[in-house]
Amino acid sequence: MPTRSTPARTTEADGTPPARPAPSRAELIADAALALLAERGMRGLTHRAVDEQAGLPQGSTSNHARTRQALLEAAVRRLAELEARVLAPGELLTSGDPAQAAAGLAHALHRYLTGSTELLVCRYELALEATRRPDLRAFYDDAGRRFREPLVALMTAAGSAEPERHALSVVAWAEGMMFACAVGSYHRAVPTEEELRTGCAELLRGMLGAEAG
């Protein structure tokens, strides 16, 4: 890094979180795209509809993302940013205690399931579209690395002999839970954080052969 910057404040003088800066035009466009995906699905995502959703002059979205591929990439990028705020993958690293790992994973998952299900709908829309667009598939997979890599580190810290494979198992469990509780047969019965912790602890015990709960 060429210069040393002053760390951003995490709280104001009275202890409250600082106000987020006003979104940029690029963020407005990407947020509008995600809102449309959640409400109308992929067919409802057009440049004109994004302009209308964002309250921007017609042509604004086309100027920012000229092609549909560019618009989809902007949506994927923004989705990853918003998911990172909810899931906070950087907080998953622990001292290696499987019980702490289970608690951290359960907390992040419960936070997502109880406050951000519209992001999950967007995730599924974009994931399905990525199966039909190789360029988007590569972009989507690259954005997902920010979530997979901390899980591999978490499994390594917890003593896994095969952290890559075990991270995949954790992802599969979490993804299955999110699908079932967001759009599947359990969408009216979201587990409590304690139930998620118990389930995750059982998974980790089975993989690590350690006391995780």
Side-chain angles (χ1 to χ4, degrees):
M1 187 176 295
T3 59
R4 184 180 180 86
S5 59
T6 302
R9 288 182 300 169
T10 57
T11 60
E12 298 290 358
D14 61 359
T16 60
R20 291 190 181 278
S24 66
R25 175 162 291 200
E27 290 171 335
L28 283 174
I29 289 170
D31 286 343
L34 292 176
L36 288 168
L37 284 172
E39 180 182 350
R40 307 179 192 176
M42 194 60 64
R43 290 185 178 182
L45 181 64
T46 66
H47 286 73
R48 179 180 292 274
V50 172
D51 285 337
E52 293 173 353
Q53 179 75 21
L56 296 172
Q58 286 295 321
S60 298
T61 300
S62 294
N63 287 335
H64 173 70
R66 293 191 177 278
T67 65
R68 185 167 181 79
Q69 174 72 18
L71 181 58
L72 291 169
E73 289 180 1
V76 169
R77 187 182 303 110
R78 184 61 168 165
L79 176 65
E81 292 173 357
L82 296 176
E83 285 190 320
R85 293 180 188 175
V86 179
L87 294 172
E91 297 177 4
L92 294 179
L93 292 177
T94 69
S95 60
D97 182 356
Q100 290 183 12
L105 287 165
H107 181 67
L109 188 55
H110 188 262
R111 185 167 54 200
Y112 200 166
L113 288 172
T114 56
S116 303
T117 52
E118 72 284 352
L119 292 182
L120 280 170
V121 174
C122 293
R123 175 204 282 241
Y124 300 137
E125 289 283 352
L126 290 165
L128 287 171
E129 187 68 10
T131 65
R132 308 178 188 101
R133 292 173 174 266
D135 290 343
L136 185 63
R137 175 83 272 166
F139 194 85
Y140 184 93
D141 290 347
D142 185 65
R145 288 195 182 94
R146 72 168 68 186
F147 302 104
R148 294 194 302 273
E149 290 172 356
L151 282 176
V152 173
L154 179 67
M155 291 297 98
T156 300
S160 169
E162 298 181 76
E164 291 278 356
R165 185 172 66 82
H166 287 160
L168 173 59
S169 294
V170 173
V171 168
W173 175 80
E175 290 275 11
M177 191 68 70
M178 288 190 290
F179 184 90
C181 296
V183 297
S185 57
Y186 282 84
H187 69 281
R188 296 184 183 276
V190 176
T192 64
E193 185 172 334
E194 178 63 20
E195 289 171 334
L196 290 170
R197 188 200 64 76
T198 299
C200 188
E202 291 169 345
L203 175 68
L204 294 181
R205 279 199 301 271
M207 293 189 300
L208 302 174
E211 183 60 40

